[in-house]
Amino acid sequence: MRNVQRKKVKSNFHHGRFIIVCFCISIVFVGLAARAAYIQIIKPDMAVNESNKRTLRVKKLHVQRGMIFDRMGKELAVSVPVVSVYVDPKRLNEGLVKKVLKQAKKQGENIKLLAENDALLSKRVKEHYKQDIRWKELADVLRVKQNKIDYRLVGDPTKRFIYLQRQITPAVAEYIKRLKLPGIHLIDESKRYYPAGEVTAHVLGFTNIDGKGIEGMEKLYDNALTGTDGRRTYRKDAQGREIEILDERERVEPESIHLSIDQRIQAIAYKALKSAVLSFKATSGSAMVVDVKTGEILAMVNSPSYNPNNLKNALPHKRRNRAITDLFEPGSTVKPLAILAGLEYGTIAEDTIINTYPGYMRVGGSIVKDTRNYGKMTLRQIIKKSSNMGVAKVTKELPKNFVVGLYEKVGFNEDTGTNMIGESSGLFTPRRRWSDHEIASLSFGYTLAISTAQLSRFYATLGSGGISRPLTILKQDTPMYGERILEQKNINAVLKMMESVFERGGTAPNVKLDGYRVAAKTGTSKKAVAGGYGDEYVNYFAGVGPVSDPRLSVVVMVNEPGGDEYYGATTTGPAFTEIMSGALRILNVAPDLNTIAATKVGANRD
Amino acid sequence: MNTKSSAIKNSTRQPNLFSEILKGFFKEKIVCLLLFLIFISALSVVQVTYASRQELISQDKLLQQRDDLDLQWRYLLVEQEFYAQHVRIEEIAKSKLGMKRPQSKDEQVVILP
């Protein structure tokens, strides 16, 4: 039985066949292995490329420009993401040609013939373009006229990049994306938005359409505000999800800038200045508020201003930050410095009486005069009446170098230290020979021209009791380093004198400050024109308050008031009081005028 | 003698292929164990890769969400700033709510000890 079975097996086995089958199968496997080896070892690039084409993606990690805050953390400049649309006319044309050929194929035409016939093809393409309603929709959603956009889209198919519109909202971008037009692409960009608008326009400056700072703070701190975009290389799966990160460059977040500006004070200052400039038909105006204890600028405004969110109407004369760029002769506002010079040198004392009779005098060939003959005056009266004779007589007794040196020390020949773009350092060159008349003019604020910022710094020095600090536009944790340049007791004496300006018979009797004692000085200076002084005026109102413990220095300047009024007190007085009392209230400074009843909490317990 | 006869006896019968394979396996215990471990490790590689991909996908989603929220936040911020404009609030306070700035005589100063 067993033998039979074995025989049967043997008889079924054909040796030749077996070998052939083995050979064939092994050929197949060797062939497969060879092909695999060819693809994987000898020429692997092609397979890798094909795979990468399908799965490898690079994503740009967009970073927004840094924000600018005021001292209370309120946002003054925010970047919001927007989208720009551009067209690649070459791809667009290719897309259209493809469509036309596809249609022709459906209708059974000879495509090859059509593809070779350029004239006919371009005619068909144009027809197709006109028929497709999506292109009209694109023009509509971008709010452009169809014929205007046509030229850019199909005008020249050799071009590769033309912007259709920049900075559209994400909603519009989404709509365009869904139109699925050939050759139309979107790129992420960001747009700078300034919530405070024209109020902070000059300080902040603005960026160009590519997000680079070109004015003001935006330019000064452009590097800090600009981050670096990141890049991520990753593999995606069939559903477009990220499954493997191959390479990643983290984005570098930009820094934020914290300004010393207090937006509430800035808004009050802007409103007050704007109404002063408008109601007195002035060409321009500036105002500054400085914290005298730290040197920080709490407000810096100019009028006319512009809307930084829409630069269409921003003419160059509106863009200028006049508070730091424009120079004027400060006039009577520097008279306290002349008095201080005398006090510092010791030629006069607080109670000195100066005879200004007969109200005019000849100094070095020119005449110095008052509006009328005031006769004998105390220093307090000189400041109160703003007597040119009085201060000229004070400086006449002093060495020229000392007077000029003091003007230099308070910073009339240097910038204020803010580092802001376009800041001027004044027109005052101490190193030269001064004539007697020039020294006399210096005492009442002529023969030198300074910016509103420089005047603010001088008044901040008065407010801080004689310590001169550089001004800063950035929020500080500790006060700016200051240097004592004037004696505290002299400053106290002069501040008391300056309070008299608001009294009956002073230069600003109608200007009333509610609740606070303020030391201030008005200024009305004629503007120099070629060959002498013209008919235009510059009005100043500068002061510090509250006198009992000065906190703020406020300077208001109005240039070329156009109405009948040209006295400093009339044009700038209301703005000055509004800014000073408004700012002091906001800063919670206790009123020091005795009309206010003060309640001391916890006083009963003692 | 006994073993030989059983071998003969076994060889005469149709061998059970499955049990023979199993027997072969158990002869090489270490190899068998290694094979088992290889299976485990291979499966866990698959599992871990799958899990890590899921994590990556969710991370990507979260990052996307963060950017979307950031975008939304910025738009809300701008909107808030628009409504919080100093001029606008002052206008509303004055005209709608009939508020005014206090005069110094209306003020009561409280000085903390």
Side-chain angles (χ1 to χ4, degrees):
Chain A
M1 187 68 185
R2 223 163 60 207
N3 286 346
V4 174
Q5 251 182 355
R6 263 186 195 161
K7 252 181 194 164
K8 217 178 185 178
V9 171
K10 243 184 191 171
S11 65
N12 272 348
F13 188 79
H14 296 278
H15 202 73
R17 262 192 210 171
F18 177 71
I19 285 180
I20 288 170
V21 168
C22 277
F23 182 72
C24 287
I25 289 175
S26 56
I27 284 282
V28 167
F29 277 101
V30 167
L32 280 176
R35 179 66 187 159
Y38 178 76
I39 288 171
Q40 297 231 345
I41 299 162
I42 299 169
K43 237 188 177 179
D45 296 347
M46 193 189 71
V48 170
N49 276 346
E50 290 298 316
S51 153
N52 284 351
K53 259 189 219 165
R54 285 159 181 76
T55 62
L56 202 67
R57 294 291 179 271
V58 178
K59 190 154 79 178
K60 204 169 180 188
L61 305 169
H62 204 61
V63 68
Q64 301 288 339
R65 193 176 166 84
M67 296 208 268
I68 302 180
F69 297 95
D70 83 338
R71 64 184 302 112
M72 310 301 286
K74 207 168 150 59
E75 300 82 6
L76 299 180
V78 186
S79 279
V80 285
V82 286
V83 185
S84 287
V85 203
Y86 72 89
V87 58
D88 181 345
K90 195 177 171 191
R91 287 267 171 277
L92 197 162
N93 192 50
E94 282 171 13
L96 290 176
V97 168
K98 225 178 186 176
K99 274 265 173 71
V100 167
L101 291 178
K102 213 172 170 184
Q103 265 180 3
K105 197 175 177 184
K106 255 187 198 165
Q107 286 158 4
E109 285 181 59
N110 189 343
I111 324 169
K112 268 188 191 165
L113 227 65
L114 186 61
E116 279 161 14
N117 189 345
D118 280 343
L120 184 65
L121 187 66
S122 69
K123 202 183 132 200
R124 288 275 190 91
V125 163
K126 260 181 200 154
E127 269 170 23
H128 180 77
Y129 172 79
K130 271 191 190 145
Q131 278 166 8
D132 198 341
I133 197 156
R134 290 182 301 166
W135 298 106
K136 200 177 154 3
E137 278 177 43
L138 177 70
D140 284 348
V141 82
L142 293 176
R143 292 183 191 170
V144 201
K145 280 197 179 132
Q146 176 80 44
N147 52 4
K148 265 190 183 171
I149 209 171
D150 279 348
Y151 177 72
R152 290 197 223 170
L153 290 173
V154 287
D156 184 357
T158 55
K159 289 204 170 145
R160 297 307 303 266
F161 187 98
I162 301 173
Y163 274 122
L164 286 182
Q165 194 146 351
R166 301 192 69 172
Q167 306 194 336
I168 58 173
T169 60
V172 175
E174 187 57 33
Y175 184 80
I176 292 173
K177 207 188 243 174
R178 267 193 251 148
L179 285 177
K180 287 194 178 150
L181 292 164
I184 302 289
H185 302 284
L186 303 166
I187 20 173
D188 289 329
E189 285 189 321
S190 61
K191 179 178 163 47
R192 204 69 166 153
Y193 185 75
Y194 304 96
E198 56 183 21
V199 177
T200 52
H202 294 110
V203 178
L204 297 178
F206 48 86
T207 61
N208 63 9
I209 199 155
D210 294 319
K212 197 163 172 50
I214 50 172
E215 276 284 1
M217 285 292 119
E218 296 275 24
K219 183 175 185 183
L220 187 56
Y221 294 104
D222 194 35
N223 284 341
L225 286 168
T226 314
T228 315
D229 280 345
R231 255 169 78 98
R232 187 190 296 156
T233 314
Y234 64 94
R235 239 174 243 293
K236 66 168 190 99
D237 67 1
Q239 287 154 15
R241 299 174 303 186
E242 279 181 28
I243 50 165
E244 191 185 354
I245 294 172
L246 301 170
D247 183 35
E248 190 171 23
R249 202 176 63 210
E250 288 272 333
R251 53 185 169 195
V252 183
E253 295 289 341
E255 290 171 49
S256 298
I257 303 285
H258 291 263
L259 297 186
S260 63
I261 298 288
D262 188 323
Q263 181 52 27
R264 303 166 298 176
I265 299 175
Q266 178 93 359
I268 289 177
Y270 181 73
K271 199 182 161 211
L273 180 73
K274 192 180 177 184
S275 80
V277 167
L278 282 181
S279 48
F280 295 101
K281 301 185 186 71
T283 25
S284 70
S286 302
M288 270 180 79
V289 180
V290 174
D291 188 329
V292 303
K293 292 187 193 295
T294 61
E296 291 170 294
I297 297 169
L298 299 181
M300 179 191 265
V301 293
N302 301 286
S303 185
S305 187
Y306 61 95
N307 180 6
N309 297 312
N310 178 10
L311 294 172
K312 260 182 200 149
N313 298 321
L315 301 168
H317 78 275
K318 287 185 182 171
R319 289 184 192 175
R320 201 163 67 230
N321 190 355
R322 291 163 184 273
I324 54 168
T325 59
D326 285 15
L327 304 176
F328 298 108
E329 286 172 299
S332 312
T333 48
V334 297
K335 277 176 185 163
L337 185 59
I339 301 285
L340 272 170
L343 291 172
E344 289 277 316
Y345 197 72
T347 48
I348 51 168
E350 214 177 312
D351 52 359
T352 303
I353 290 174
I354 287 167
N355 191 357
T356 64
Y357 181 84
Y360 64 89
M361 66 175 172
R362 192 170 281 278
V363 186
S366 297
I367 286 178
V368 171
K369 61 176 183 191
D370 280 338
T371 45
R372 68 186 188 85
N373 177 15
Y374 292 118
K376 287 183 178 174
M377 296 175 102
T378 59
L379 296 181
R380 188 180 162 87
Q381 279 171 321
I382 289 175
I383 293 285
K384 182 176 173 182
K385 299 279 182 195
S386 192
S387 162
N388 292 348
M389 282 291 288
V391 287
K393 282 209 160 178
V394 168
T395 50
K396 203 179 164 194
E397 305 300 318
L398 303 170
K400 286 176 188 171
N401 284 347
F402 182 78
V403 177
V404 174
L406 197 64
Y407 275 61
E408 196 181 349
K409 262 195 215 165
V410 297
F412 288 167
N413 69 328
E414 59 184 18
D415 61 49
T416 57
T418 57
N419 285 329
M420 285 173 80
I421 306 289
E423 178 163 6
S424 167
S425 49
L427 269 179
F428 178 64
T429 33
R431 315 256 175 262
R432 64 181 174 102
R433 295 171 70 86
W434 293 82
S435 73
D436 291 339
H437 182 257
E438 281 171 332
I439 293 293
S441 321
L442 269 188
S443 72
F444 48 86
Y446 285 88
T447 64
L448 84 161
I450 55 172
S451 65
T452 309
Q454 282 173 298
L455 194 63
S456 296
R457 187 182 174 196
F458 165 53
Y459 271 78
T461 308
L462 288 183
S464 65
I467 297 168
S468 175
R469 291 190 173 88
L471 300 185
T472 177
I473 192 76
L474 296 178
K475 190 182 180 185
Q476 305 290 324
D477 296 327
T478 52
M480 297 294 283
Y481 174 75
E483 203 179 337
R484 176 165 291 281
I485 54 167
L486 295 161
E487 292 282 338
Q488 177 86 52
K489 76 172 200 312
N490 293 337
I491 296 267
N492 290 347
V494 168
L495 287 185
K496 258 186 210 153
M497 294 173 199
M498 285 162 69
E499 275 189 87
S500 66
V501 167
F502 298 100
E503 291 168 3
R504 186 192 294 268
T507 51
N510 299 322
V511 177
K512 285 277 169 286
L513 235 101
D514 187 32
Y516 295 99
R517 284 171 62 201
V518 171
K521 185 76 195 72
T522 59
T524 309
S525 68
K526 277 195 166 188
K527 278 187 87 168
V529 291
Y533 285 93
D535 295 332
E536 296 290 354
Y537 289 86
V538 178
N539 293 163
Y540 280 101
F541 210 117
V544 296
V547 173
S548 56
D549 181 19
R551 178 74 197 274
L552 298 178
S553 94
V554 175
V555 175
V556 180
M557 185 278 289
V558 168
N559 176 26
E560 296 178 2
D564 295 333
E565 301 289 350
Y566 62 87
Y567 276 112
T570 333
T571 57
T572 52
F576 177 83
T577 48
E578 205 173 320
I579 297 171
M580 182 63 100
S581 62
L584 287 173
R585 263 210 192 96
I586 279 172
L587 295 174
N588 270 331
V589 176
D592 61 347
L593 252 184
N594 46 19
T595 50
I596 289 161
T599 313
K600 206 163 184 177
V601 172
N604 297 345
R605 262 180 272 157
D606 297 334
Chain B
M1 189 67 199
N2 215 1
T3 52
K4 201 181 174 184
S5 69
S6 73
I8 292 165
K9 198 183 171 188
N10 277 347
S11 68
T12 55
R13 271 172 48 198
Q14 184 86 21
N16 187 336
L17 188 63
F18 186 67
S19 68
E20 288 301 313
I21 290 171
L22 276 186
K23 265 182 206 159
F25 269 133
F26 287 121
K27 261 184 204 155
E28 301 285 345
K29 278 208 174 104
I30 294 172
V31 173
C32 180
L33 186 71
L34 287 177
L35 188 71
F36 181 68
L37 287 179
I38 283 171
F39 268 118
I40 296 285
S41 115
L43 286 176
S44 49
V45 164
V46 171
Q47 188 62 35
V48 165
T49 311
Y50 177 74
S52 79
R53 282 185 180 183
Q54 292 305 314
E55 289 299 315
L56 253 174
I57 288 165
S58 66
Q59 184 208 24
D60 181 46
K61 263 187 198 155
L62 288 173
L63 285 176
Q64 190 64 44
Q65 210 176 344
R66 186 188 68 176
D67 283 1
D68 288 348
L69 286 173
D70 182 64
L71 190 150
Q72 210 178 338
W73 173 71
R74 280 168 192 274
Y75 276 105
L76 287 173
L77 202 66
V78 167
E79 199 176 321
Q80 182 199 343
E81 289 297 328
F82 171 78
Y83 287 117
Q85 270 175 33
H86 205 276
V87 183
R88 187 176 170 273
I89 288 176
E90 197 171 311
E91 180 61 36
I92 290 173
K94 271 187 185 156
S95 61
K96 267 195 188 163
L97 305 173
M99 293 164 94
K100 64 179 178 67
R101 271 188 194 282
Q103 298 297 305
S104 64
K105 61 178 187 293
D106 307 324
E107 280 181 343
Q108 186 76 27
V109 177
V110 177
I111 299 162
L112 293 173

